[in-house]
Structures are given as structure tokens and as C-alpha cells.
């Protein structure tokens, strides 16, 4: 059974006037759908008024500044995202979801790295923490061919 939250995309095909319009739904996790879902569009307009206030709806919510601080603190001490979400959910009015936690962790990582690539950031961290490191590049002088690092205490 495919949960509605796991539906990744849709495809439509109505190229021929003899074919009925159809929509194919697929699971974002690559699962297989065990059946056929047929949807018939009777009228192309909504039969209900659209919501004017989406306050509190999970898809419209973002992490508050306080929640972002919690994600930052807990990520710094290597707490797993599911446990960060559990901590955020302790507040009764929280509508946070795991995707928001992962997105905030990604944003924190990008801010920490700045304009550096992952390799340049690694080399910076090695230098900042006094690791002994060495690397060789290919003939193009851009691609790293070999890299070595060790903690200074391991050299004794």
C-alpha cells in the first residue's frame, strides 16, 4: 500500500482523442504499487472553497528561529535527525517534520562550508585542527589523486 505522503510524481497522457485521460502515481521510495488507481475527472473546477488560512498545516510550516537553534545545537553534538525531531515534537503546537530537520541540517552545513568545495573544506579542517596532511593532484592540477592525513599524536 502506498501512503499518500510517499507519492513522488505524476505523469499524464492524453495524446490521443480515443484514450481517456489518466494519471500514473509512483512512490518516491521506489516501491511498487500493487494495483491500479483510476481517477475520473468529472469537472475541471473545485467543488469547495479554497482555504484562505493555511496556518498550522505541516506543508506550509517552517521551523521557527527557536526550533532552528535546537536543530543547530543538537546537530553539533551529533544527535540523529529522528531524535532531533522527537525533541521538537515535545512541544504540543509543533508541526515539524523530518524533511524540515534534514533541510535545516543541510543549510547549516552549507553556511559552515561557505564558498569552499567539500575537498577544500576538508583540507581547511585538517589544517585548523593541526592534522598532518598531504595530497597529490593529477596532471590537470585540479583533481586530487591521493590524500593522506593523521593526527599529530599518532606520529610519536
Amino acid at each position: 500500500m502506498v501512503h499518500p505522503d510517499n507519492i513522488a510524481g505524476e505523469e499524464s497522457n492524453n495524446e490521443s482523442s480515443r484514450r481517456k485521460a489518466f494519471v500514473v502515481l509512483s512512490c518516491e521510495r521506489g516501491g511498487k504499487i500493487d494495483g491500479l488507481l483510476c481517477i475520473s475527472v468529472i469537472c475541471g473546477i473545485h467543488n469547495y472553497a479554497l482555504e484562505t488560512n493555511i496556518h498550522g498545516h505541516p506543508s506550509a510550516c517552517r521551523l521557527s528561529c527557536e526550533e532552528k537553534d535546537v536543530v543547530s545545537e543538537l546537530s553539533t553534538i551529533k544527535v540523529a535527525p529522528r531524535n532531533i525531531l522527537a525533541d521538537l515534537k515535545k512541544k504540543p503546537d509543533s508541526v515539524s517534520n523530518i524533511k524540515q530537520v534534514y533541510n535545516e541540517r543541510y543549510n547549516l552545513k552549507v553556511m559552515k562550508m561557505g564558498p569552499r568545495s567539500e575537498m577544500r573544506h576538508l583540507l581547511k579542517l585538517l589544517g585548523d585542527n593541526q592534522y598532518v596532511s598531504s595530497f597529490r593532484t593529477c596532471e590537470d592540477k585540479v583533481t586530487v589523486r591521493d590524500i593522506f592525513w593523521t593526527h599529530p599524536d599518532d606520529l610519536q
Side-chain angles (χ1 to χ4, degrees):
M1 177 94 177
V2 177
H3 191 273
D5 291 343
N6 295 337
I7 295 174
E10 60 182 52
E11 298 175 13
S12 298
N13 186 349
N14 196 16
E15 295 171 4
S16 171
S17 60
R18 296 183 343 175
R19 290 179 95 170
K20 291 184 178 181
F22 69 91
V23 176
V24 177
L25 302 174
S26 62
C27 176
E28 71 180 3
R29 296 182 182 167
K32 295 183 179 177
I33 300 175
D34 296 331
L36 185 61
L37 175 65
C38 295
I39 301 172
S40 297
V41 178
I42 297 171
C43 179
I45 60 173
H46 292 279
N47 60 354
Y48 54 89
L50 295 175
E51 286 289 327
T52 56
N53 184 6
I54 55 175
H55 177 72
H57 192 275
S59 65
C61 293
R62 302 289 182 261
L63 294 177
S64 66
C65 291
E66 181 182 312
E67 290 173 323
K68 288 181 180 183
D69 291 341
V70 169
V71 172
S72 176
E73 290 173 24
L74 296 179
S75 294
T76 302
I77 58 173
K78 307 290 189 221
V79 174
R82 68 176 184 272
N83 296 333
I84 295 173
L85 180 62
D87 191 63
L88 294 175
K89 290 288 190 179
K90 287 180 182 175
K91 287 189 171 185
D93 60 338
S94 176
V95 291
S96 305
N97 60 41
I98 195 71
K99 184 165 177 61
Q100 293 166 339
V101 173
Y102 277 111
N103 286 347
E104 183 59 25
R105 286 170 52 105
Y106 174 77
N107 291 337
L108 292 167
K109 178 183 170 185
V110 168
M111 284 180 16
K112 185 183 284 188
M113 283 180 39
R116 293 181 295 276
S117 69
E118 289 181 346
M119 182 58 72
R120 294 227 181 260
H121 188 64
L122 171 65
L123 294 172
K124 178 192 177 305
L125 291 175
L126 291 172
D128 291 351
N129 294 297
Q130 288 83 37
Y131 276 70
V132 176
S133 65
S134 178
F135 66 93
R136 294 188 295 182
T137 59
C138 293
E139 292 77 24
D140 63 3
K141 304 290 185 208
V142 175
T143 307
V144 174
R145 187 176 77 188
D146 302 309
I147 185 167
F148 166 83
W149 70 83
T150 186
H151 194 274
D153 294 346
D154 292 339
L155 293 175
Q156 297 176 359

